[in-house]
């Protein structure tokens, strides 16, 4: 029911080497639920990309495919020109997952050493990542006795062990306090400066804004907007025109220049517009609309409107089943 | 987090795969340490079988009755060693259940560790703990009245241990089947019932002909007969071997089936 303007801010193409990630028309279904619906996305080495969207937008399903944890039903996903599983085995890509993935009865140090053993990395690398993740003080502690933030830093340390070209973070700061959150992102920024490609899934707009070069909006398993953080902000700074207009045609209104989303509720029309003046002018001069009002909304609201799932009436639902 | 500068990454071209699909002795060492950290596992596998022997097998009457080339206490000791090895290997295999519940299996899929290497490590771990269990039970038995000929100490011990492989497969199967954090709380009683049914705690002949016939088809029966053979030199060895092979094949097939589903789904 909603038309969404897609910003096509495709960064200029890299001419050397493969994409860090290339997703072509990927579809992933879980029973009746289509979690990823024809997604195409190319990410160049060195980019820091936020996958932004509400819960159930298909972020985790997309990340899973990039990591070889699941395969698309149709379409392809490649990482540095390889099958995702091959890229994982070579340590080209690693990830910090949202929750779980740790054993309570290992110590922090043992968990890192085990991961190092599996990647064929030595003692030196163990010390390096423990230091980088700030785990020195808790290395002898059982994982089950660690705080949420400490566990997340442990996942980060494990992800750094293979020294990956691409680091994927799925909702990485869930459950962290402000301080840990800041420290976590500083570490990631340092990493990115050294040339590592970073993709992170989040539903925090401010995280995407502050840390990503590029923001990919997802909704119902599709990319609905893709651009720089600045472009996304411009999109989000649109306003809503509300008017009473009996017998309004949604299609007609949606075709107006500057109109992003149109909603018709009985006699009331709601037009979310990047050019609210143009929409208002049209409504007042070319239609019988009256009681017109223009409201501006903040970033958070705009994001919610752009990505929300419960405004549609077409009966499809997307989920993020596990 | 420290803010030391990051060196450039290894580079996409310079990377190589670890050997043997990630199978490393370092992982076995760490896993063993973790398993022994779990008090419940230690009690179940290393403490309980010798204690059971002391309670049920070391009475004066049992020491003075002979059985095969040794005494009845020795006979009971072998049964307890089988029981301990069974518990140990089942617990070892069933570790996968806890690891799946914790999302650890998923985490491991973000490493070069191949599923086959993971299973191999789990089986080796199960067999190491099984060996410890048999050795502990025998050590306690040897100083508490159990008498066996030398060749039976060695033969019964080795066979009890080797045949417990069937329960490593059982543990793996159950570990993949039951997504529970405390799967051994279910499997412990199951193993106890199977042990009764298979004549490990009470000789099957003493329970009547019908029961003795049924017992031959239960999974503990074969292991018990084979493990006692170096001492008793009786019992249908062929039936027992067939029993162990059939159950091993069945449990292994079940484990492979669930494992395939598991890796396809996650």
């Amino acid at each position: 029911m909603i038309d969404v303007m897609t910003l096509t801010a495709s960064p200029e193409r890299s001419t050397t080497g493969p994409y860090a990630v290339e997703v072509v028309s990927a579809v992933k279904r879980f029973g009746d639920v289509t979690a990823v619906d024809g997604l195409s996305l190319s990410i160049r080495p060195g980019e820091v990309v936020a996958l932004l969207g509400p819960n159930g937008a298909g972020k985790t399903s997309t990340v899973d495919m990039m990591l070889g944890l699941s395969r698309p039903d149709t379409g392809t996903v490649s990482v540095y020109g390889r099958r995702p599983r091959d890229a994982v085995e070579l340590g080209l890509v690693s990830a910090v997952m949202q929750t779980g993935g740790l054993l309570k009865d290992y110590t922090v140090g043992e968990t890192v050493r085990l991961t190092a053993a599996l990647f064929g990395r030595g003692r030196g690398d163990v010390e390096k990542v423990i230091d980088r993740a700030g785990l020195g003080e808790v290395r002898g502690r059982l994982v089950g006795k660690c705080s949420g933030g400490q566990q997340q830093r442990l996942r980060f340390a494990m992800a750094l062990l293979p020294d990956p070209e691409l680091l994927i973070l799925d909702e990485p700061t869930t459950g962290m306090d402000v301080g840990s959150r800041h420290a976590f992102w500083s570490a990631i920024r340092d990493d990115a400066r050294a040339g590592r490609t970073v993709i992170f899934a989040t539903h925090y707009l401010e995280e995407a804004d502050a840390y990503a070069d590029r923001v990919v909006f997802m909704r119902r398993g599709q990319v609905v907007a893709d651009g720089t953080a600045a472009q996304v902000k411009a999109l989000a700074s649109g306003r809503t025109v509300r008017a009473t207009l009996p017998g309004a045609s949604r299609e007609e209104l949606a075709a107006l220049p500057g109109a992003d989303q149109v909603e018709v509720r009985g006699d009331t029309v709601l037009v979310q517009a990047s050019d609210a003046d143009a929409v208002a002018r049209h409504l007042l001069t070319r239609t019988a609309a009256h009681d017109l009002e223009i409201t501006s909304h903040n970033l958070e609201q705009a994001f919610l409107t752009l990505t929300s799932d419960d405004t549609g009436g077409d009966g499809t639902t997307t989920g993020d089943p596990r | 987090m420290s803010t030391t500068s990051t060196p450039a990454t290894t580079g996409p071209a310079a990377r190589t795969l670890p050997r043997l699909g990630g199978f490393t002795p370092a992982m076995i060492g760490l896993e063993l340490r973790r398993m022994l950290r779990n008090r419940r596992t230690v009690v179940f596998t290393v403490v309980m079988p010798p204690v059971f022997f002391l309670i049920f097998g070391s009475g004066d009457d049992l020491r003075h009755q002979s059985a095969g080339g040794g005494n009845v206490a020795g006979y009971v000791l072998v049964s307890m060693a089988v029981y301990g090895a069974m518990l140990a290997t089942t617990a070892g295999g069933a570790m996968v259940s806890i690891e799946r519940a914790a999302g650890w299996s998923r985490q491991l899929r973000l490493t070069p560790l191949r599923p086959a290497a993971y299973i191999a490590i789990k089986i080796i771990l199960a067999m190491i703990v099984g060996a410890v269990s048999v050795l502990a039970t025998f050590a306690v038995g040897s100083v508490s009245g159990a008498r066996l000929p030398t060749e039976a100490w060695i033969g019964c011990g080795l066979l009890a241990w080797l045949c417990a492989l069937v329960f490593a497969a059982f543990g793996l199967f159950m570990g993949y089947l039951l997504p529970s954090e405390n799967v051994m709380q279910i499997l412990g009683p199951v193993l106890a019932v199977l042990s009764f049914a298979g004549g490990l705690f009470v000789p099957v002949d003493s329970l009547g002909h019908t029961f003795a016939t049924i017992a031959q088809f239960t999974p503990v029966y074969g292991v018990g007969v084979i493990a006692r053979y170096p001492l008793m030199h009786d019992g249908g060895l062929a039936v027992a071997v067939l029993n162990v092979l059939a159950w091993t094949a069945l449990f292994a097939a079940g484990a492979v089936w669930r494992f395939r589903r598991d890796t396809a789904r996650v």
Side-chain angles (χ1 to χ4, degrees), chain B residues 90-131:
Chain B
T90 303
M95 279 172 89
V96 300
S97 163
I98 297 148
E99 295 175 15
R100 286 173 67 230
W104 180 247
S105 315
R106 194 176 152 90
Q107 180 66 41
L108 288 177
R109 292 183 63 196
L110 300 179
T111 74
L113 183 66
R114 294 272 169 90
Y118 174 73
I119 296 291
I121 285 170
K122 288 293 155 200
I123 291 173
I124 289 170
L125 275 173
M127 293 310 282
I128 290 173
V129 181

Side-chain angles (χ1 to χ4, degrees), chain A residues 106-154:
Chain A
Y106 265 133
T107 66
V108 167
E110 286 167 350
T111 307
V112 177
R113 274 164 54 204
L114 176 57
T115 310
L118 294 176
F119 277 107
R121 296 275 175 164
R123 204 85 214 194
D125 290 306
V126 170
E127 297 309 319
K128 201 164 78 187
V129 300
I130 284 183
D131 180 50
R132 297 258 340 267
L135 290 168
E137 282 172 30
V138 294
R139 66 185 300 162
R141 191 175 292 178
L142 285 178
V143 171
K145 299 226 184 327
C146 287
S147 71
Q150 287 164 344
Q151 292 189 358
Q152 198 64 344
R153 278 186 279 154
L154 173 56

Side-chain angles (χ1 to χ4, degrees), chain B residues 119-177:
Chain B
I119 296 291
I121 285 170
K122 288 293 155 200
I123 291 173
I124 289 170
L125 275 173
M127 293 310 282
I128 290 173
V129 181
V132 171
S133 176
V134 170
L135 287 174
T137 312
F138 271 23
V140 170
S142 68
V143 295
S144 316
R147 214 158 31 75
L148 292 138
T150 310
E151 69 272 16
W153 277 113
I154 297 166
C156 294
L158 273 177
L159 289 171
W161 176 63
L162 278 176
C163 289
L165 198 57
V166 59
F167 290 96
F170 173 69
L172 278 171
F173 181 24
M174 291 300 131
Y176 277 111
L177 196 66

Side-chain angles (χ1 to χ4, degrees), chain A residues 35-116:
Chain A
V36 176
D37 191 5
L39 184 94
S40 292
L41 186 62
S42 303
I43 291 165
R44 293 175 308 152
E47 280 190 294
V48 177
V49 180
L51 279 183
L52 189 61
N55 291 327
K59 301 190 297 290
T60 297
S61 300
T62 303
V63 163
D64 280 358
M65 290 192 290
M66 291 176 182
L67 293 169
L69 291 172
S70 71
R71 262 182 238 137
D73 297 323
T74 61
T76 59
V77 178
S78 63
V79 176
Y80 285 93
R82 299 168 189 273
R83 281 172 53 226
R85 175 64 202 164
D86 294 342
V88 164
E89 287 187 356
L90 287 167
L92 283 166
V93 54
S94 69
V96 177
M97 303 306 270
Q98 201 171 346
T99 51
L102 295 173
L103 286 176
K104 284 183 276 187
D105 42 5
Y106 265 133
T107 66
V108 167
E110 286 167 350
T111 307
V112 177
R113 274 164 54 204
L114 176 57
T115 310

